[in-house]
Amino acid sequence: LSLFLFSISYLTATKWLDPDFGWHLKTGELILERGIPRVDWYTFTMPDFPWVNHEWLADVFIFKIHSLYGFQVLLLIFLVIATLAFFISAKLSYFWYCLMPLVLGYFACLPFFGMRPQLLTAFFVAILAKILNNFLENPNSRLIYLCPILFLIWVNLHGGFFAGIFILFL
């Protein structure tokens, strides 16, 4: 099933390019040359305008993978991350009950698949939900101690880490 869904998403995602892809690619290159930006590099009318690039590590990742392996490998990596996000959130013991919502949800998200840092947030939300569910079912679980590491990575990859903080708050 995952191979089938992955294949469908690959065929769909190769038909269009995310409009922010070039921006992420160039920003990743500039971060490796200049460091993490503190001011806006792209707006010449406000060269000293403070800028927080909430996806700086994702931009570096996009640039490095693209420059080393090319567009297709980068697309494959992001689609694997998106597919994993769906399957991490499904509970294997209830797989047949989750099958239809999982497939329908996957198809509903197809237009958003591609090389988008937002997919990293979906992936981390799925991991966080799995860790929290594991902890609620088994309070002695040590997986809960992975949350700080998860957030350390997440906060540098995408600003959607606030979703994780909100989930923890709930």
Side-chain angles (χ1 to χ4, degrees):
L1 178 64
S2 61
L3 186 60
F4 169 73
L5 292 175
F6 177 77
S7 300
I8 295 288
S9 63
Y10 180 78
L11 293 173
T12 305
T14 55
K15 298 201 184 308
W16 68 79
L17 182 63
D18 181 29
D20 290 338
F21 175 68
W23 184 88
H24 290 298
L25 196 62
K26 187 62 179 177
T27 302
E29 179 184 8
L30 290 175
I31 287 171
L32 290 176
E33 289 176 6
R34 304 178 186 174
I36 300 170
R38 301 206 190 301
V39 295
D40 189 352
W41 290 336
Y42 298 114
T43 309
F44 75 93
T45 57
M46 297 186 298
D48 297 327
F49 188 75
W51 177 34
V52 176
N53 185 355
H54 64 90
E55 314 171 317
W56 73 270
L57 191 56
D59 292 343
V60 170
F61 174 78
I62 288 170
F63 172 72
K64 287 304 283 181
I65 297 298
H66 185 270
S67 63
L68 293 173
Y69 303 107
F71 179 83
Q72 297 299 325
V73 171
L74 183 61
L75 179 61
L76 289 173
I77 290 170
F78 271 92
L79 292 178
V80 164
I81 289 169
T83 305
L84 280 174
F86 275 86
F87 283 95
I88 287 171
S89 60
K91 200 167 192 175
L92 290 179
S93 58
Y94 298 107
F95 180 75
W96 292 110
Y97 298 108
C98 299
L99 181 62
M100 188 56 82
L102 186 110
V103 171
L104 290 175
Y106 195 87
F107 281 120
C109 292
L110 272 178
F112 303 102
F113 288 167
M115 288 168 285
R116 297 173 174 231
Q118 296 91 324
L119 294 177
L120 299 169
T121 286
F123 179 68
F124 286 121
V125 164
I127 292 173
L128 180 63
K130 191 64 133 182
I131 290 171
L132 293 176
N133 282 335
N134 186 294
F135 180 72
L136 292 173
E137 290 173 0
N138 178 14
N140 295 327
S141 173
R142 294 184 182 263
L143 282 178
I144 198 75
Y145 295 118
L146 293 176
C147 283
I149 296 168
L150 179 77
F151 275 94
L152 180 66
I153 297 167
W154 192 357
V155 76
N156 288 296
L157 284 171
H158 191 255
F161 72 93
F162 281 111
I165 293 172
F166 182 71
I167 290 169
L168 284 177
F169 176 75
L170 290 177

